Amino acid sequence: MKKLFLLAVLFSAITTSHAQYKKASFLNKKGRTYDLGLTSRILGSGNSPALGFSFSYGKERSSKRLFHWWDLDFTLGNKYKYNTTASVFTGTSYVDKQVAVSGKTGSNFAWRYNLAYFLMDNGNEDNKILPFVDLSVGIVLSTQTTLNYTTNPLVTSGLSKEVSGGTAGYTAGIGAGLIYKVNEGFGIKFNAAYYGVLNTETVASDDAFFNTLPNHVGVSIGAHWLLDRDN
């Protein structure tokens, strides 16, 4: 809760500084868009949601419904838990015992390119809500270099299903969202997408490893700035 509160404070502070961002000379290019907000990966499969924040920049024209943006996400580490078996030596022989494995991942960075299409005429000033669909490709990197988990009961080896130690992966996503225009230069953007993840670590099978970054849903909401419409 403390992490979520800090992220909410950050989001509020950035939103109230809209005027200062708009005056910055290096941002002042026609049709350029910038977004800053909160994001979450809803991982499932024994993984808790991962919370974080995102920044993006792109291009949007009132004469075209097709638009694009690059985004950079940072998400905090999340917890995971799963059950498996372990081969334990009892003194005379090895037997399989049920074991609960729990741990926490490292933080993640994700960099994506997004291509989107407005479902309504974004050049019509009367349209305050602009829904869109989008496709994306990207890469995700983890800060975790060593696995960090515990078992109950305690075992040091012999797990039937180990935790995947992959530190990087590629993503491809399909999603939808909307932009609510507060005025011509500022709005609120919401996006939800389903991401397929290709882990760079080669694994024998899904049964042999527990994946801390499976295919998942991602959601984000944030402030959206459009600087000087480019027709």
Side-chain angles (χ1 to χ4, degrees):
M1 291 298 294
K2 183 181 291 186
K3 292 177 180 177
L4 182 60
F5 174 75
L6 292 175
L7 291 173
V9 171
L10 174 64
F11 171 67
S12 177
I14 295 300
T15 302
T16 57
S17 63
H18 172 217
Q20 286 75 9
Y21 271 89
K22 195 169 183 179
K23 291 178 182 178
S25 60
F26 74 94
L27 296 175
N28 197 17
K29 295 183 178 181
K30 286 188 175 182
R32 190 67 59 84
T33 61
Y34 296 90
D35 303 274
L36 188 62
L38 304 177
T39 187
S40 176
R41 294 195 184 109
I42 304 172
L43 299 166
S45 302
N47 296 280
S48 68
L51 303 175
F53 60 88
S54 64
F55 168 78
S56 70
Y57 63 95
K59 188 77 171 181
E60 180 183 319
R61 297 182 179 181
S62 58
S63 60
K64 296 182 178 180
R65 292 196 182 187
L66 197 66
F67 65 107
H68 67 96
W69 73 89
W70 294 87
D71 55 15
L72 177 65
D73 288 355
F74 170 77
T75 52
L76 303 171
N78 61 286
K79 296 179 180 180
Y80 61 86
K81 186 175 182 179
Y82 68 97
N83 295 320
T84 186
T85 60
S87 181
V88 179
F89 187 64
T90 62
T92 57
S93 62
Y94 284 91
V95 297
D96 288 338
K97 286 190 175 182
Q98 290 291 323
V99 176
V101 181
S102 59
K104 185 175 181 181
T105 69
S107 301
N108 283 327
F109 293 90
W111 188 40
R112 290 186 299 269
Y113 175 75
N114 305 264
L115 183 64
Y117 182 81
F118 282 120
L119 300 178
M120 295 182 65
D121 183 7
N122 57 304
N124 186 342
E125 296 183 1
D126 293 332
N127 291 335
K128 295 295 184 181
I129 298 178
L130 298 172
F132 61 84
V133 291
D134 66 279
L135 299 173
S136 70
V137 291
I139 185 170
V140 58
L141 303 173
S142 174
T143 61
Q144 190 174 50
T145 57
T146 58
L147 298 177
N148 179 25
Y149 63 86
T150 59
T151 64
N152 184 23
L154 180 64
V155 296
T156 56
S157 62
L159 292 178
S160 299
K161 180 181 287 190
E162 295 281 355
V163 181
S164 174
T167 58
Y170 300 101
T171 64
I174 180 171
L178 61 86
I179 298 173
Y180 172 71
K181 295 194 302 182
V182 178
N183 54 48
E184 281 304 300
F186 179 73
I188 303 298
K189 182 178 178 182
F190 172 79
N191 191 207
Y194 180 81
Y195 298 105
V197 182
L198 176 62
N199 200 307
T200 57
E201 179 184 73
T202 301
V203 297
S205 69
D206 291 339
D207 293 333
F209 285 86
F210 175 82
N211 192 353
T212 57
L213 187 62
N215 300 340
H216 62 276
V217 173
V219 294
S220 63
I221 185 170
H224 176 75
W225 290 273
L226 171 59
L227 305 180
D228 295 332
R229 259 187 191 275
D230 184 0
N231 296 317

